[in-house]
Amino acid sequence: MPHSPSTAPSGSLSSGPASGGPRVRLARGASPWLVPTLATAAVSLARVRKSPRAALVAVPATALAAGMLWFFRDPEREIGQGRVLSPADGVVQSIMPWQDGRTRVAIFMSPLNVHVNRAPLAGTVTSVEHIPGGFVPAFNKESENNERVVWHFDTELGDVEMVQIAGAVARRIVPYLPSGAKVEQGERLGLIRFGSRVDVYLPQGIEAAVEVGQTTTAGVTRLDRD
């Protein structure tokens, strides 16, 4: 069934002085994790002034909050050149020819990568399907049966499929766009919380330009070869 897109606005935190420092964009869909974590850190830090023992909670809570801010960062990107761009930050896990002539490029995302995925091509979203499943580690072959969201795009290359796959830690995929939406190449499509995997199926006749083990950047790294 179609998965409803997130409607929550993207957030930002000031990383400079109040007079107008640079702002760090945070991923849409991060609020359920960020808000309680930041609140806990703030409350525990405030209590340290009254009781030094509160530092036993404040230190790990603050470290966790800082980690969450890092996990859910959403940097701006200068979109790369190419017919098909990487939808994810990560490492190319496998490149496999498919029976129908397509080539699947699987990109593994660690918890340290940016978790916002981007459109590999410009076109129209023809379907966004959420499929329930397991939560084995994304580097495991069995992860193909994990919870996932399958995207199809109508593009100048024809139908292009992209799959967001949840991992052992990632328990929620948050699509940003509904079926029927127009999308630009490199546009933000959705969020996978805490790392996982994203697969792109290159259309028949298009050769992969990346190699297994290569690092990719969403919206920048070219996946296809001329």
Side-chain angles (χ1 to χ4, degrees), residues 4-200:
S4 300
S6 169
T7 57
S10 57
S12 62
L13 290 181
S14 174
S15 59
S19 58
R23 302 183 71 82
V24 179
R25 178 177 179 138
L26 297 176
R28 290 167 52 190
S31 297
W33 290 81
L34 276 176
V35 172
T37 304
L38 294 175
T40 300
V43 170
S44 59
L45 284 172
R47 289 179 177 174
V48 169
R49 296 182 179 181
K50 298 180 179 180
S51 172
R53 296 183 62 183
L56 295 175
V57 175
V59 171
T62 302
L64 180 60
M68 289 287 186
L69 291 174
W70 175 256
F71 289 152
F72 290 118
R73 68 197 186 280
D74 183 11
E76 297 295 339
R77 297 275 166 83
E78 182 175 346
I79 304 306
Q81 300 292 322
R83 291 176 296 178
V84 185
L85 300 180
S86 174
D89 287 20
V91 175
V92 178
Q93 183 181 49
S94 65
I95 301 173
M96 293 182 59
W98 224 239
Q99 294 180 348
D100 58 8
R102 297 180 299 166
T103 299
R104 187 187 71 182
V105 178
I107 300 171
F108 172 72
M109 302 167 59
S110 81
L112 297 180
N113 289 125
V114 172
H115 308 310
V116 176
N117 301 141
R118 294 174 177 261
L121 298 90
T124 302
V125 179
T126 55
S127 68
V128 186
E129 182 183 11
H130 172 254
I131 301 175
F135 294 97
V136 302
F139 54 79
N140 190 311
K141 188 178 184 300
E142 297 300 319
S143 66
E144 296 175 10
N145 298 317
N146 277 7
E147 179 174 342
R148 56 203 181 278
V149 172
V150 180
W151 296 76
H152 281 271
F153 306 93
D154 180 20
T155 75
E156 62 179 8
L157 299 180
D159 176 71
V160 173
E161 180 179 351
M162 185 191 90
V163 185
Q164 295 174 294
I165 303 174
V169 178
R171 296 297 178 116
R172 179 73 191 279
I173 302 172
V174 185
Y176 293 165
L177 299 175
S179 179
K182 299 288 185 180
V183 64
E184 297 296 326
Q185 188 176 43
E187 183 177 344
R188 294 171 175 86
L189 286 179
L191 170 73
I192 309 181
R193 293 174 178 152
F194 300 112
S196 39
R197 195 177 109 191
V198 180
D199 295 348
V200 178

